[in-house]
Amino acid sequence: MSWNPFKKAKQSTKQTGDREFEREVARFNQLEGATKKIYKDTKNYGEALSALSKAEVRIYQDLAASPVSQDDLFREPLQEYAVCAERLDELRQELVIRNQKTVAEPMKKFSGVFPSVNAAIKRRDQALQDYQKYQAKVLKLQEREKTPQNQAKLEATNQALAAAKLDYEKQNAAMLEELPQLIEGRIDYFEPSFEAMIRSGDAYYSRASEALSDLTNKLGWKKGELSDEDCQQQLQQKLAEIRSLSIVEDG
């Protein structure tokens, strides 16, 4: 069932309980979709971190094999860079593992309740359809001639209607009580994962910064000594000197 509050139609015959149920189902569907998305994004984040480490290794390998670095001046910095890249890779692997344990796995476990909830929603909807079916049958039988045979059918159908109504009301009441509890429970469930994710990120970036600062110190580069603008200026100056060579002049 779907309820569109913006759609103008004939006067609704739905009971308040039906509309309330539909609102709770809509909230549950949002929760289900968001939980699955968080799980997927966390996995993608881990894969992106692994890809970053592989890219850094490839940069080192390309630099080591490049004529640009075939000089004693670059040998030690490249070795130190390789050590730092390994350290960063270790830190990323730790971050991926922590996020997997504290975010991805809890989201996957939480998603495990969704199939049973969806099944309960279907059972409630089926109970409502059965209830409405017997209501329609009773109305038809009441319009027929009051023969003993029709009266017997009416009595049997009324009994079936009473049972269907009881079943529907029982399932409907359970859903209206437990769906909000499930939806509100998401906060207490997810809060520890959110805190762990923040703390993991803090630990990773702090240690990564330490590793890069240590690399900078080992190479004898003062922190903040060379700005981006200074770097660009030096590069442009060296490029101008190279272009001034006769062997690279435009022919």
Side-chain angles (χ1 to χ4, degrees):
M1 294 184 298
S2 60
W3 176 61
N4 185 349
F6 304 104
K7 182 178 180 180
K8 293 183 178 180
K10 296 180 180 179
Q11 184 176 3
S12 176
T13 58
K14 291 182 179 179
Q15 299 178 357
T16 301
D18 292 332
R19 294 194 295 269
E20 183 181 354
F21 171 76
E22 289 173 357
R23 287 194 294 269
E24 294 302 327
V25 170
R27 294 176 65 204
F28 166 74
N29 289 336
Q30 283 186 319
L31 176 62
E32 181 179 15
T35 303
K36 292 180 178 179
K37 190 174 186 300
I38 292 171
Y39 172 73
K40 181 179 178 180
D41 288 345
T42 303
K43 288 189 64 178
N44 290 340
Y45 179 48
E47 293 171 358
L49 288 173
S50 298
L52 176 58
S53 291
K54 291 179 181 178
E56 285 188 344
V57 171
R58 285 196 296 270
I59 290 175
Y60 163 73
Q61 292 172 342
D62 292 342
L63 283 171
S66 170
V68 174
S69 61
Q70 299 303 311
D71 190 284
D72 292 341
L73 179 65
F74 289 101
R75 185 172 292 109
E76 184 177 353
L78 278 174
Q79 291 174 347
E80 294 294 344
Y81 171 77
V83 173
C84 181
E86 289 180 3
R87 174 58 178 159
L88 293 176
D89 180 46
E90 291 174 0
L91 293 173
R92 291 190 191 103
Q93 289 181 18
E94 291 175 4
L95 178 61
V96 170
I97 292 172
R98 285 198 298 268
N99 284 343
Q100 178 67 24
K101 290 182 177 179
T102 61
V103 181
E105 290 181 6
M107 292 301 101
K108 185 176 182 180
K109 290 179 181 178
F110 192 56
S111 296
V113 307
F114 296 148
S116 60
V117 176
N118 283 312
I121 291 173
K122 289 182 180 179
R123 288 196 300 272
R124 182 267 185 196
D125 287 345
Q126 184 60 53
L128 175 59
Q129 291 176 24
D130 292 342
Y131 175 34
Q132 293 173 335
K133 179 183 68 175
Y134 284 114
Q135 280 182 318
K137 285 186 176 180
V138 166
L139 290 175
K140 287 183 179 180
L141 288 171
Q142 287 175 341
E143 293 173 355
R144 291 183 181 180
E145 183 181 356
K146 290 181 172 50
T147 64
Q149 184 179 7
N150 287 340
Q151 287 299 103
K153 288 183 179 179
L154 178 59
E155 183 178 351
T157 305
N158 269 320
Q159 292 177 354
L161 172 62
K165 179 182 179 182
L166 182 63
D167 181 44
Y168 161 69
E169 290 179 343
K170 180 180 178 180
Q171 293 194 44
N172 189 60
M175 297 300 296
L176 289 177
E177 179 182 358
E178 296 178 7
L179 272 178
Q181 291 178 4
L182 169 64
I183 295 167
E184 295 305 319
R186 77 197 187 282
I187 298 174
D188 291 336
Y189 183 84
F190 182 65
E191 185 177 11
S193 292
F194 182 66
E195 179 179 351
M197 181 175 65
I198 298 299
R199 292 185 181 277
S200 295
D202 175 63
Y204 164 72
Y205 287 107
S206 296
R207 293 171 185 170
S209 178
E210 291 174 1
L212 291 168
S213 295
D214 184 56
L215 174 62
T216 299
N217 293 332
K218 286 181 179 179
L219 297 178
W221 298 334
K222 294 181 180 179
K223 192 173 183 180
E225 185 178 71
L226 187 65
S227 66
D228 292 343
E229 292 76 10
D230 292 336
C231 179
Q232 287 295 326
Q233 185 176 358
Q234 288 187 14
L235 288 173
Q236 291 297 335
Q237 182 180 350
K238 291 299 180 182
L239 183 59
E241 293 175 2
I242 292 172
R243 283 175 173 169
S244 68
L245 299 174
S246 61
I247 57 176
V248 297
E249 288 183 347
D250 292 338

